Amino acid sequence: MLDIDSQMQNLSSRLKMLIFSHSNEFNFTNIDFNKGDKVLVQGTISEDLFILIKGKVNIEVSHGSSSSHSLAILEAENILGEMSLFGGSEVSADVVVLSDKAEFIKLKGHELLSSIMFDTELASELLAIVSNRCQNTSKVNALLMDAICALHGKSNVSIDTSLEKLRNENEELFYIASMLEEIRTRCK
């Protein structure tokens, strides 16, 4: 059996406690990936939940284009695969390892779902994580819409304020803000 306790030392204490309370129901699998490896692939089917123990990953999405866009960079203490587990099995984004090595614990989705049915605290903790990610996505969408509306002249928010807020979010949005700035310059 894996030494789950030492591997999960960085996971949030509440989620760690809840997962451990079901450890006899879960068949944990320890998986290591190297830099550039895809842990999850957009469009494929996955019903498992991954817990990132060590390392850093990039969440990338592409829709009909050859280029992908970074949605988030996650480090240890994060779960991955929750959207496909709870939302229909299709993976919505690539998860690509950024660090030299990344260590994960994989939980079988059906085992987790069975446990959630009888443990409202575990369900609530996972729901809180998913909800937080949805809130962050809504915030980014609002920032992008503000910037586009400001660029079009249809906003109470100045384009400079909108672009600054985007630049402060993450590296990918910094790049997007730069592209919007370039569009603004071209349209003058």
Side-chain angles (χ1 to χ4, degrees):
M1 181 153 175
L2 297 172
D3 183 9
I4 299 301
D5 188 44
S6 66
Q7 293 182 27
M8 292 179 54
Q9 62 188 343
N10 293 327
L11 195 61
S12 73
S13 59
R14 180 169 161 73
L15 185 56
K16 179 181 173 182
M17 179 207 56
L18 291 167
I19 289 173
F20 275 125
S21 71
H22 295 278
S23 61
N24 60 332
E25 302 162 28
F26 298 145
N27 291 306
F28 296 107
T29 305
N30 188 19
I31 303 175
D32 294 339
F33 290 94
N34 296 313
K35 187 174 188 163
D37 288 347
K38 288 187 178 182
V39 179
L40 293 167
V41 177
Q42 182 178 346
T44 63
I45 303 299
S46 177
E47 296 178 351
D48 298 324
L49 187 78
F50 293 81
I51 301 170
L52 178 57
I53 302 304
K54 276 187 181 174
K56 186 187 294 190
V57 297
N58 189 21
I59 311 303
E60 299 177 357
V61 66
S62 63
H63 289 285
S65 69
S66 59
S67 62
S68 61
H69 302 282
S70 176
L71 298 178
I73 294 175
L74 302 177
E75 298 189 39
E77 301 183 24
N78 275 287
I79 61 171
L80 304 159
E82 77 287 349
M83 289 176 68
S84 59
L85 178 63
F86 299 127
S89 301
E90 187 172 310
V91 177
S92 61
D94 289 339
V95 176
V96 182
V97 176
L98 292 176
S99 52
D100 289 336
K101 183 179 177 183
E103 297 177 17
F104 295 86
I105 293 175
K106 182 171 89 170
L107 298 167
K108 291 287 182 192
H110 68 275
E111 294 172 354
L112 182 62
L113 292 173
S114 294
S115 295
I116 288 173
M117 287 179 18
F118 302 104
D119 187 339
T120 56
E121 289 184 63
L122 179 57
S124 294
E125 185 68 15
L126 291 168
L127 183 59
I129 291 168
V130 172
S131 177
N132 182 277
R133 288 184 179 170
C134 287
Q135 288 172 347
N136 286 337
T137 299
S138 293
K139 176 185 174 186
V140 168
N141 286 339
L143 289 172
L144 288 168
M145 287 187 279
D146 280 350
I148 292 167
C149 289
L151 186 61
H152 192 263
K154 305 269 188 213
S155 174
N156 295 332
V157 179
S158 78
I159 185 64
D160 292 326
T161 301
S162 294
L163 294 177
E164 187 61 31
K165 287 180 180 180
L166 282 171
R167 286 185 185 104
N168 290 330
E169 279 300 306
N170 62 44
E171 189 175 320
E172 180 73 9
L173 290 177
F174 186 93
Y175 175 69
I176 297 296
S178 297
M179 290 190 318
L180 290 170
E181 180 69 43
E182 190 177 311
I183 292 169
R184 176 172 84 161
T185 304
R186 286 183 197 166
C187 292
K188 284 185 178 180

